[in-house]
């Protein structure tokens, strides 16, 4: 592509938006078999905001994140991270997978899990230096796990493991944080600790995108929502986009009136 001087043509808001976006998907289609799990999805994540990806079970939320990260190869579609291909931007992305998908059969200490987040920063010899250990400990401190550094990860509770994975993500010094159901199966104290860390990242100008299953906390936790049910349903600020209509569009008849009532939606 040729490089041109800026003209009024380049001020196309959609294009500018996409080039600035921490994560922009266009026409993303992913299939495991015959039927696509994600179909022709466009998404444009806003910088410095917390965005919830919501939709029913099997809606393609995890698939969308994995395709965005290049872990799954889409049938069609493109991902750009800050306007560039994902391969060139990996160092700017931290990913916390759905906890159930991680199996800790072999013994691994908590501190070593966090140090994994530092590997790209270790240099050619990959040597862990005292400064790296200090940094990893600092990340454990931020999630309230500083006393568990030498414990085996497999011996921790679900909530404790989730905090450690968040500490590993923090060690990466990323700009974009992608988390798949970070609050699933964690205790209330862990949920509070995680949301506080995510908000502090957001307040420092980082961008957070999380698959989120608890509709009752969307308004309290997030700035923006992205609703999906294989196809994109809606995307935008919580105040205008998290509505009875969009939820019905995403969940079909699966949300009963009392649940809607409890959410106090417009
Ligand atoms: P969500 O995260 O929204 O619950 P997923 O992205 O995990 O949904 O799954 C979307 C659809 O793709 C579901 O129908 C699911 O059964 C299917 N699916 C997910 N992973 C696989 C896989 N590895 N192989 C085959 N089908 C899959
Ligand atoms: Mg999922």
């Amino acid at each position: 592509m040729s490089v041109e001087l800026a003209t009024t043509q380049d001020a196309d808001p959609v294009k500018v938006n996409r080039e600035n976006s921490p994560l922009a998907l266009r026409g993303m289609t992913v299939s495991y078999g015959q039927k696509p799990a994600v179909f022709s999805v466009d998404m444009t994540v806003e910088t410095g905001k917390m965005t919830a990806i919501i939709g029913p079970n099997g809606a393609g939320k995890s698939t969308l994140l994995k395709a965005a990260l290049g872990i799954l190869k889409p049938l069609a579609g493109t991902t750009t991270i800050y306007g560039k291909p994902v391969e060139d931007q990996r160092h700017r992305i931290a990913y916390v997978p759905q906890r159930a998908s991680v199996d800790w059969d072999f013994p691994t200490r908590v501190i070593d899990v966090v140090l994994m987040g530092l590997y790209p920063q270790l240099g050619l010899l990959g040597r862990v230096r005292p400064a790296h250990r200090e940094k990893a400990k600092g990340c454990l401190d931020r999630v309230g796990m500083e006393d568990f550094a030498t414990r085996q990860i497999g011996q921790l509770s679900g909530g404790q493991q989730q905090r450690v994975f968040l500490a590993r993500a923090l060690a990466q010094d990323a700009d974009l944080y992608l988390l798949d159901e970070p609050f699933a199966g964690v205790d209330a104290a862990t949920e509070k600790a995680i949301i506080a860390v995510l908000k502090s990242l957001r307040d420092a100008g980082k961008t957070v995108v999380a698959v989120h299953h608890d509709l009752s906390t969307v308004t309290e936790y997030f700035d923006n929502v992205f609703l999906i049910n294989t196809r994109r349903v809606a995307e935008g600020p919580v105040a205008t986009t998290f509505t009875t209509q969009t939820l019905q569009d995403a969940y079909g008849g699966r949300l009963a009136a009392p649940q809607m009532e409890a959410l106090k939606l417009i």
Side-chain angles (χ1 to χ4, degrees):
M1 219 164 62
S2 65
V3 179
E4 290 170 12
L5 290 175
T7 64
T8 45
Q9 263 179 322
D10 289 332
D12 173 359
V14 173
K15 187 176 164 200
V16 170
N17 204 354
R18 182 179 174 183
E19 284 175 357
N20 294 333
S21 171
L23 170 61
L25 306 178
R26 292 294 175 268
M28 189 58 76
T29 298
V30 190
S31 189
Y32 297 101
Q34 293 284 332
K35 201 168 134 262
V38 165
F39 187 75
S40 195
V41 166
D42 289 354
M43 179 185 200
T44 309
V45 170
E46 220 183 320
T47 307
K49 301 277 179 178
M50 281 180 61
T51 298
I53 298 178
I54 56 182
N57 280 336
K61 304 179 298 293
S62 297
T63 302
L64 188 73
L65 277 193
K66 287 180 200 162
L69 285 154
I71 297 171
L72 280 177
K73 194 172 154 26
L75 274 183
T78 57
T79 303
T80 51
I81 305 290
Y82 297 98
K84 299 203 182 93
V86 62
E87 301 78 51
D88 303 340
Q89 298 282 60
R90 292 212 183 280
H91 59 287
R92 300 180 74 178
I93 313 171
Y95 170 52
V96 180
Q98 219 167 333
R99 196 167 47 81
S101 69
V102 186
D103 188 5
W104 294 107
D105 274 347
F106 55 95
T108 311
R109 293 181 317 162
V110 163
I111 188 82
D112 296 321
V113 173
V114 181
L115 283 167
M116 286 174 200
L118 285 167
Y119 282 170
Q121 300 164 44
L122 295 186
L124 279 181
L125 298 177
R127 192 177 298 154
V128 175
R129 298 177 183 281
H132 296 125
R133 273 183 210 290
E134 281 314 302
K135 182 164 181 180
K137 282 186 187 155
C139 294
L140 281 173
D141 197 22
R142 281 179 74 182
V143 299
M145 288 296 289
E146 61 279 13
D147 295 338
F148 294 80
T150 56
R151 288 275 285 273
Q152 302 294 329
I153 184 92
Q155 294 170 351
L156 301 183
S157 73
Q160 290 170 331
Q161 287 183 349
Q162 194 68 311
R163 290 179 192 226
V164 173
F165 298 140
L166 182 57
R168 179 178 64 178
L170 291 173
Q172 286 178 253
D173 279 335
D175 296 311
L176 171 63
Y177 293 78
L178 304 178
L179 304 98
D180 199 341
E181 303 218 14
F183 308 116
V186 307
D187 55 284
T190 295
E191 177 153 342
K192 267 200 178 145
I194 292 175
I195 197 68
V197 169
L198 296 182
K199 285 188 171 176
S200 77
L201 289 170
R202 186 263 320 268
D203 295 344
K206 313 282 190 183
T207 303
V208 176
V209 178
V211 175
H212 190 61
H213 71 290
D214 180 3
L215 298 179
S216 72
T217 49
V218 169
T219 308
E220 186 188 338
Y221 290 175
F222 292 93
D223 306 303
N224 292 344
V225 281
F226 180 90
L227 289 105
I228 179 170
N229 191 351
T230 308
R231 296 163 188 263
R232 184 184 90 147
V233 171
E235 176 178 27
V238 169
T240 52
T241 312
F242 188 62
T243 64
T244 306
Q245 186 59 57
T246 58
L247 278 172
Q248 250 154 17
D249 290 348
Y251 286 80
R254 275 176 273 185
L255 278 189
Q259 285 172 286
M260 294 285 195
E261 184 72 16
L263 292 170
K264 296 191 177 57
L265 289 171
I266 46 170

